[in-house]
Amino acid sequence: MRAEVEHIADPASGVAPAAPVVIEARGIEKSFRIASHKVDSLKERFTTLGGREVKDLRALGGVSFDVHRGEFFGIVGRNGSGKSTLLKILASIYAADAGRVRMAGRLAPFIELGVGFNPDLTARENVELNGVMMGLPRREARRRLDAVLEFAELEEFVDMKLKNYSSGMLVRLAFSVMIQSDAEILLIDEVLAVGDASFQQKCADVFHEIRDSDRTVVLVTHDMHAVEHYCHRAMLLHDGVIAAEGDPAEVARRYLRLNFEGAPAPDETGDWGGGADIRLLDAAIVGADGKQVSSVETGEDLRLEATFEAVREVNQPSFGMVFVNADGVEVGGVGKNLSDRHGSERLMPGQRVRVAATVANPFAPGRYVVKCWVHRDHNYANLVLHAPHVLDFVVFGDDAAGVVALDFEMSADVEEER
């Protein structure tokens, strides 16, 4: 039985709905046959002939979606959800068992580190060869060598064989080749994460440029900040089927909930129950009069209140809240261990805890989200509850440079001539 896809509206996607479809996938299915044990020798092959158990592992179970020209389309999901398999089918590396894929435009895949490179050839030879494979005339591929090497910062290693390259050098070269091609559709796996910090920033700059162009990108990633920051739309895969599709921020939140299956997710009423050891009953930002507010002024204290209830016994719980701005940056947080008047530091089923915090508010104007966490045994690795979007609020006031409005004293005086 196939799961029903939840389509999440995204009225501000930034891509005109009239843009033509350049990737059309319908009913994509893929399974792999997995042997019960590996055969390592000829003797084992003969002695186990006919006796090996083989099972089918379903990677994709009827996936259908469209991507429009100019879209930055994200595909997210937990390990084993089928994302990389789907990307390889789009790149024609795998053949689907059923369904069809139609593409309109030249394709450049960036899926696995070094795929398409010959390690016994130099960077110069590989750049030329890959350019030709992507549809460039040989002279044009050779002409773009300098631009590829400049972006990758590998001018000094142009005549070194790739087998002597580090993984970081290899990924820089491969990404540079991809963006210098004339491909209209880019398929990118998060192999980019192996690059160093400066290269990742260069990639981010390129993504910003591509996002505002007519080129189409399909990005597979675990980085929810990248999904919310770059993607016009996103799709969540779970157990080989589409669980949600649409607004990147909402898809990112659903992905986070899947990653914390032991923690609750809100039901239709907004209750974060879900069978965890602790439930979040309510949370609010309140004003000086104790009433809930949805906006505060920069410099005005933030007052947070939340109520938790123990479903089962929890030893030494710790409560925390984190503030996240519209760009996905965690700009600050607060935390507190349980303080019990009897010194037990233990919650019994049915007991409730009222958590209150007053926070100095240096945040720059903008919209913010509050995340909530509860840990057991004062151990951050022992998660009891995770609520990735408890509430949101707006900070208003004078514009400030950066993510916080610094409280400072500063002077600028003209020195007297001596």
Side-chain angles (χ1 to χ4, degrees), residues 73-366:
F73 187 79
I75 301 177
V76 303
R78 302 177 68 184
N79 292 333
S81 62
K83 344 181 267 303
S84 294
T85 298
L86 177 58
L87 203 64
K88 289 177 181 178
I89 289 175
L90 296 180
S92 298
I93 296 173
Y94 288 164
D97 296 336
R100 72 172 191 272
V101 174
R102 294 180 178 178
M103 288 199 182
R106 292 184 298 277
L107 180 70
F110 189 74
I111 295 178
E112 291 184 4
L113 185 62
V115 169
F117 283 158
N118 186 329
D120 291 316
L121 298 180
T122 66
R124 184 191 306 276
E125 294 165 334
N126 271 286
V127 168
E128 184 176 331
L129 179 61
N130 271 264
V132 171
M133 292 173 62
M134 290 183 180
L136 296 177
R138 186 171 182 177
R139 178 177 297 179
E140 179 66 16
R142 189 181 298 119
R143 188 184 67 81
R144 299 191 185 191
L145 174 65
D146 289 342
V148 169
L149 295 175
E150 181 181 358
F151 184 90
E153 301 173 3
L154 293 172
E155 296 95 333
E156 299 179 13
F157 307 97
V158 61
D159 292 315
M160 178 186 289
K161 292 184 179 181
L162 294 197
K163 64 183 179 182
N164 297 318
Y165 270 33
S166 68
S167 61
M169 294 166 68
L170 196 60
V171 74
R172 297 203 315 258
L173 182 65
F175 186 78
S176 300
V177 169
M178 181 189 69
I179 63 173
Q180 286 297 326
S181 72
D182 289 331
E184 297 153 328
I185 302 173
L186 306 179
L187 305 180
I188 304 176
D189 208 340
E190 61 180 347
V191 67
L192 293 177
V194 304
D196 57 28
S198 62
F199 180 72
Q200 289 182 31
Q201 182 57 52
K202 293 182 75 168
C203 294
D205 295 338
V206 170
F207 282 171
H208 278 293
E209 294 175 7
I210 293 176
R211 191 183 192 278
D212 299 325
S213 71
D214 286 336
R215 300 177 87 180
T216 305
V217 176
V218 178
L219 174 68
V220 166
T221 183
H222 286 286
D223 185 352
M224 294 303 103
H225 172 63
V227 170
E228 296 189 49
H229 197 63
Y230 300 116
C231 295
H232 298 106
R233 287 192 302 130
M235 180 173 74
L236 172 63
L237 288 180
H238 184 57
D239 290 338
V241 297
I242 302 175
E245 181 182 356
D247 174 49
E250 182 59 28
V251 169
R253 285 194 289 271
R254 292 170 187 266
Y255 166 83
L256 290 173
R257 292 169 194 162
L258 280 177
N259 272 270
F260 294 93
E261 289 184 326
D267 58 21
E268 294 79 2
T269 66
D271 179 17
W272 289 87
D277 291 350
I278 286 183
R279 296 158 37 104
L280 172 62
L281 300 182
D282 62 66
I285 294 177
V286 299
D289 58 359
K291 295 183 179 179
Q292 184 171 352
V293 297
S294 59
S295 61
V296 294
E297 187 173 4
T298 297
E300 178 185 349
D301 285 351
L302 283 167
R303 296 177 175 86
L304 281 80
E305 296 181 357
T307 303
F308 300 86
E309 182 180 68
V311 177
R312 286 175 283 276
E313 181 179 331
V314 179
N315 185 52
Q316 295 182 315
S318 303
F319 303 88
M321 294 184 181
V322 178
F323 303 97
V324 184
N325 69 12
D327 291 325
V329 177
E330 295 185 354
V331 294
V334 295
K336 183 69 175 177
N337 296 334
L338 177 67
S339 54
D340 186 89
R341 68 184 63 183
H342 303 294
S344 66
E345 291 193 40
R346 185 187 303 270
L347 283 179
M348 303 305 293
Q351 282 188 307
R352 293 188 177 186
V353 177
R354 187 70 172 171
V355 175
T358 300
V359 184
N361 171 22
F363 302 150

Side-chain angles (χ1 to χ4, degrees), residues 29-43:
E29 298 186 6
K30 181 67 177 179
S31 296
F32 297 95
R33 304 202 75 190
I34 307 297
S36 58
H37 63 275
K38 184 180 179 181
V39 174
D40 294 317
S41 66
L42 187 61
K43 178 181 179 181

